[in-house]
Amino acid sequence: MEVNTTTSYLEKIIASRRTVKPTSMNGKKVADDTIQQLLQLADWAPTHGYTEPWHFIVYSGDKVQQFCADHADLYKQHTAADKFIAGNYDKLKDQGNLASHVIAICMKRGSNPKIPVIEEIAAVSCAVQNMWLGATAQGIAAYWGSGGMTYHPAMQDYLGLGDDDQVLGFFYLGYTDEPAQPGKRIKPLAEKVKWM
């Protein structure tokens, strides 16, 4: 009986997980202890060969705005004048104005060359999903963004990563006053599964 209740609760959390853009957050702060709990959940992700490749850099308080300003400046420094879009610069600079925390999502390559990079990236993605489900369970809004300079070597340098490491995005966390949007899938499950 308890298993069914737990399974039902887990199904509810998984099905109610949503992407909430940082502009829809309300500026209310999440306690650092709560963020630490989410990071503990992330640390239980599956990992081939126990490489545990997830690496998170957490920005809180004033550091959120500092990171966003730095991100915008990296965009300005590394974008040719004819490609530079002022709106993109402003968006990067203001992206965290209403977020409580921003977490840089990084993959630090393990030392075992037999483990493919894709498996390291998959492990980090599982870690982020663990955080996201934990956030959902606690009523915390979350957004995984990969725009701006995410994949540019300048961001890798900014975050102090090695040549074999990768930035996979930025996880914005906060609260929202907006009602949860109904869930949707575009394609039916039957089109995505083949039983043999």
Side-chain angles (χ1 to χ4, degrees), residues 185-194:
R185 295 290 94 171
I186 305 301
K187 296 185 285 186
L189 181 60
E191 288 182 18
K192 298 176 273 190
V193 177
K194 182 176 181 181

Coordinates of all heavy atoms in Angstrom, one line a residue, residues 185-194:
R185 N 2.1 17.3 -24.1 CA 3.0 16.6 -25.0 C 2.5 16.7 -26.4 O 1.3 16.7 -26.6 CB 3.1 15.1 -24.6 CG 3.7 14.7 -23.3 CD 5.1 15.1 -23.1 NE 5.4 16.4 -22.5 CZ 6.5 16.9 -22.1 NH1 7.6 16.1 -22.2 NH2 6.6 18.1 -21.6
I186 N 3.4 17.0 -27.3 CA 3.0 17.3 -28.7 C 2.7 16.0 -29.5 O 1.7 15.8 -30.2 CB 4.1 18.1 -29.5 CG1 4.4 19.4 -28.7 CG2 3.7 18.3 -30.9 CD1 3.3 20.3 -28.5
K187 N 3.6 15.0 -29.3 CA 3.4 13.7 -29.9 C 2.9 12.6 -28.9 O 3.4 12.6 -27.8 CB 4.7 13.2 -30.5 CG 5.3 14.1 -31.6 CD 6.6 13.5 -32.2 CE 7.7 13.6 -31.3 NZ 9.0 13.2 -31.9
P188 N 2.0 11.8 -29.4 CA 1.5 10.7 -28.5 C 2.7 9.8 -28.1 O 3.6 9.5 -29.0 CB 0.4 10.0 -29.2 CG 0.4 10.6 -30.6 CD 1.3 11.8 -30.7
L189 N 2.6 9.2 -26.9 CA 3.7 8.3 -26.5 C 3.8 7.1 -27.5 O 5.0 6.7 -27.7 CB 3.3 7.7 -25.1 CG 4.3 6.8 -24.5 CD1 5.7 7.4 -24.3 CD2 3.8 6.2 -23.1
A190 N 2.8 6.7 -28.1 CA 2.8 5.5 -29.0 C 3.8 5.8 -30.2 O 4.4 4.9 -30.7 CB 1.4 5.2 -29.5
E191 N 3.9 7.1 -30.6 CA 4.8 7.4 -31.6 C 6.3 7.4 -31.2 O 7.2 7.4 -32.0 CB 4.5 8.8 -32.2 CG 3.2 8.9 -33.0 CD 3.0 10.3 -33.6 OE1 4.0 11.1 -33.6 OE2 1.9 10.6 -33.9
K192 N 6.5 7.4 -29.9 CA 7.9 7.5 -29.4 C 8.4 6.2 -28.8 O 9.5 6.1 -28.3 CB 8.0 8.6 -28.3 CG 7.7 10.0 -28.9 CD 7.6 11.0 -27.8 CE 6.3 11.1 -27.2 NZ 6.1 12.3 -26.3
V193 N 7.5 5.1 -28.8 CA 7.9 3.8 -28.2 C 7.6 2.7 -29.2 O 6.5 2.8 -29.9 CB 7.1 3.6 -26.9 CG1 7.4 2.2 -26.4 CG2 7.3 4.7 -25.9
K194 N 8.5 1.8 -29.4 CA 8.3 0.6 -30.2 C 8.4 -0.6 -29.4 O 9.5 -0.8 -28.8 CB 9.2 0.6 -31.4 CG 9.0 -0.5 -32.3 CD 9.9 -0.4 -33.5 CE 9.7 -1.6 -34.5 NZ 10.6 -1.5 -35.7

